[in-house]
Amino acid sequence: MKIGLVLCPGFQPVCFGAVAAFDVANKQAGKKLYDMRVLSEGGGLVASSSALQVMTEAFDDAPYDTLIVAAGLEIPTSSPGLVRLLRAAAGDARRVAAICLGSFILGDAGLLNGRRATTHWRYAQTLQERFPSCQVEMDKIYIADGPIWTSAGMTAGTDLVVGLIERDHGVEVARSVAKGMVMYHRRSGGQSQHSTLLDLGTNEDRVQRALNFARQNLAQSLTIEDLAEAACLSPRQFTRLFRAETGTTPAKAVEALRVEAAKLMLEQSRLPIEVIAREVGFANRERMRLAFARLLGEVPRAIRNDAGPLAAL
């Protein structure tokens, strides 16, 4: 399968980390599953956002199985020539994808019209305003809507590429590629762009220790005494410090961690909902349902149904 990585001036070099997944797939298969080409509108050297220059081939009307557009840290300006080339090539390509802000270029080429898409959460509203016929979903790692694939932030591009590989060669190959790249876990497209631990972020080591302990032991009861012991504080000291550092209570933080873990399991496994509820520490399915409705505005069954086959491991 011929893959074209289309670089825009000022592109982020991290995009090469994403497409490296194709190389890993080739290596593990022992044959060339993917033929990578690096393209730009006119060919030649293209400078990245960090001044790294990359030699590219000229983007012409040659057929590609998959085209992936890579941009930089700012909303790109689409040249008329690139838009024309991309629009023409999309008619022949099986898939067209964009990493992060490359989605704006797909939009300028008219490829997002009537489709679902995502981009970095900071620019999702702008994408929606610029392309009102597109349904922008800011809280997704990546979205595959027919032949059009879009990812959130730069590192989510790797998740998107592993998703492409899964679509081509199945779950086992995708899992093997993720392991080969030492990915923490293979995130599904439906997973949130946000992390509970990041939202609760603190510079206080004792609070961080307690949060890490909680995440690693969600199936336990996780009382204030348990968390305080992990932080090496008395329960009263811990409660006071935790609220000062995070702006919330330990109980609410633990609930958020449990919801996040359960959501990932709903998206990436076929375990029964009752089993997931026990695995993450909810007393029963109903308590988990109420927590989901309170924190996410959705119930577990709806999240599982939205995840689709790509999310299943």
Side-chain angles (χ1 to χ4, degrees):
M1 299 178 185
K2 192 175 177 183
I3 309 293
L5 176 65
V6 183
L7 300 182
C8 302
F11 71 92
Q12 261 285 297
V14 74
C15 69
F16 284 99
V19 298
F22 292 123
D23 284 337
V24 175
N26 287 343
K27 180 176 177 60
Q28 294 188 351
K31 58 183 178 179
K32 201 165 190 176
L33 300 176
Y34 297 100
D35 177 17
M36 275 295 307
R37 306 294 177 87
V38 183
L39 311 173
S40 67
E41 181 180 350
L45 288 172
V46 178
S48 72
S49 59
S50 59
L52 174 73
Q53 293 188 319
V54 174
M55 182 61 70
T56 65
E57 301 177 32
F59 188 1
D60 54 24
D61 58 358
Y64 284 86
D65 176 84
T66 303
L67 291 168
I68 303 175
V69 179
L73 296 174
E74 303 292 340
I75 295 175
T77 300
S78 303
S79 70
L82 179 58
V83 167
R84 184 179 64 255
L85 286 166
L86 190 60
R87 188 179 293 145
D92 296 322
R94 182 165 62 100
R95 301 175 297 207
V96 180
I99 297 174
C100 196
L101 299 184
S103 55
F104 282 86
I105 295 176
L106 298 194
D108 286 338
L111 302 181
L112 299 185
N113 293 341
R115 296 195 179 277
R116 297 165 55 241
T118 192
T119 192
H120 191 286
W121 61 268
R122 194 183 301 277
Y123 297 93
Q125 185 60 41
T126 303
L127 185 71
Q128 183 66 82
E129 292 169 356
R130 184 174 295 188
F131 308 108
S133 68
C134 172
Q135 181 184 336
V136 178
E137 299 182 22
M138 69 167 288
D139 198 28
K140 295 289 185 291
I141 293 295
Y142 68 84
I143 288 177
D145 186 348
I148 304 301
W149 294 56
T150 50
S151 83
M154 289 292 176
T155 58
T158 306
D159 299 288
L160 181 148
V161 172
V162 174
L164 293 172
I165 293 169
E166 180 182 317
R167 180 65 61 86
D168 295 337
H169 301 288
V171 172
E172 290 303 321
V173 173
R175 183 187 290 118
S176 177
V177 169
K179 287 182 178 179
M181 297 185 71
V182 200
M183 294 170 67
Y184 176 63
H185 54 69
R186 195 189 70 73
R187 300 182 294 181
S188 70
Q191 188 177 338
S192 171
Q193 293 189 35
H194 300 285
S195 161
T196 297
L197 281 183
L198 286 177
D199 291 341
L200 292 170
T202 172
N203 293 323
E204 171 54 59
D205 289 343
R206 292 169 294 182
V207 172
Q208 192 63 54
R209 281 201 304 271
L211 287 170
N212 289 337
F213 173 81
R215 187 175 65 170
Q216 294 164 11
N217 296 276
L218 290 175
Q220 298 183 20
S221 59
L222 293 177
T223 64
I224 289 292
E225 289 73 19
D226 294 330
L227 298 175
E229 182 178 354
C232 300
L233 293 169
S234 71
R236 179 175 295 182
Q237 289 174 319
F238 172 73
T239 301
R240 186 166 55 246
L241 179 63
F242 191 95
R243 183 183 283 277
E245 285 291 316
T246 67
T248 189
T249 66
K252 289 182 178 179
V254 168
E255 182 181 64
L257 288 170
R258 284 178 167 142
V259 166
E260 181 178 64
K263 183 172 184 288
L264 182 61
M265 293 176 73
L266 287 164
E267 293 168 340
Q268 296 198 347
S269 80
R270 296 297 98 180
L271 289 173
I273 293 178
E274 294 84 354
V275 173
I276 292 175
R278 292 196 303 269
E279 287 289 324
V280 301
F282 286 108
N284 52 53
R285 174 177 178 158
E286 178 61 16
R287 287 199 179 180
M288 186 169 82
R289 187 189 70 80
L290 292 173
F292 268 63
R294 182 165 53 251
L295 296 183
L296 302 180
E298 293 185 275
V299 295
R301 177 62 62 186
I303 288 173
R304 166 152 285 175
N305 291 341
D306 288 344
L310 274 176
L313 286 180

